[in-house]
Amino acid sequence: MTSTGRRVLGALGRTVRSALASTARRARSSSGPGSRGRAGHPDYPGDFTGRLRPRYSPHPDGEPDPGEIVWTWVPYEEDHAQGKDRPVLLIGHDGPWLLALQLTSQDHDRDAEQEARWGRYWMDIGTGAWDHRRRPSEVRLDRVIRVDPDQVRREGAVLDRRIFRRVARSLRKHHRW
């Protein structure tokens, strides 16, 4: 093959890879909550149970980063093959997986004792652009979820650094890290 042919093939390969990556990003960002259905992630290894150091490193580049609140499919605790789309706070990485804490707009302060009996602990983080109705949110501290970066639907917002630090301190205290 001539050098011109190699250059043409190289350029074609780069164009195809770029187009595929762009299509994947558009598909993730244009899909709204609920689009995944009940399929689950076939390779989900289970929730993260190790020791971690929460990291704040959001970048406004369209890719999910720790410190951002994104929408993604979250497996149910009792059956990882089922779950639902919901917002999560990204707090770090575990190999190819993102690590996240699920959010809710339900107020668990009223049923904190009941939640604690079930082993669930929540922390208020306030309101933000991740919820279009601007409802106060809480983040769950006792469950660290693995998230496939390719399954993130859309970015919701970057969490304020001070609030992220409070979450990280509460997370370390709760898990005794």
Side-chain angles (χ1 to χ4, degrees):
M1 178 178 291
T2 67
S3 63
T4 302
R6 282 192 296 274
R7 279 196 308 271
V8 168
L9 282 177
L12 180 61
R14 284 190 298 279
T15 302
V16 168
R17 282 191 301 276
S18 175
L20 289 172
S22 177
T23 300
R25 277 193 301 277
R26 276 197 310 275
R28 284 196 311 266
S29 65
S30 66
S31 303
S35 63
R36 180 157 177 86
R38 300 179 152 260
H41 190 288
D43 301 321
Y44 187 71
D47 295 347
F48 181 81
T49 57
R51 186 180 186 104
L52 73 96
R53 182 178 209 162
R55 196 177 95 206
Y56 186 83
S57 60
H59 301 286
D61 59 2
E63 297 297 319
D65 301 301
E68 296 175 354
I69 294 176
V70 299
W71 282 83
T72 191
W73 189 85
V74 174
Y76 294 138
E77 280 181 277
E78 56 280 350
D79 181 0
H80 290 160
Q82 296 188 36
K84 69 178 189 176
D85 276 336
R86 64 180 318 129
V88 297
L89 170 61
L90 300 177
I91 59 170
H93 290 93
D94 178 35
W97 300 91
L98 292 163
L99 297 177
L101 304 174
Q102 72 184 51
L103 270 66
T104 185
S105 58
Q106 294 182 12
D107 183 6
H108 289 290
D109 290 341
R110 291 179 287 196
D111 62 354
E113 286 182 30
Q114 177 183 340
E115 286 291 296
R117 278 196 300 276
W118 287 97
R120 295 185 292 249
Y121 295 88
W122 300 87
M123 175 187 163
D124 294 323
I125 61 167
T127 61
W130 58 86
D131 184 310
H132 69 279
R133 293 180 11 203
R134 306 292 281 190
R135 296 172 291 186
S137 293
E138 295 181 0
V139 64
R140 185 171 171 185
L141 298 172
D142 59 282
R143 182 178 184 214
V144 180
I145 302 158
R146 287 184 174 100
V147 172
D148 180 344
D150 292 333
Q151 298 304 314
V152 171
R153 304 287 175 271
R154 64 181 167 90
E155 291 180 88
V158 172
L159 189 65
D160 179 81
R161 183 184 294 270
R162 291 182 312 254
I163 296 171
F164 186 89
R165 285 184 187 144
R166 282 186 26 236
V167 170
R169 278 192 306 271
S170 295
L171 191 61
R172 284 190 296 269
K173 182 179 177 183
H174 176 77
H175 290 277
R176 296 183 177 110
W177 293 330

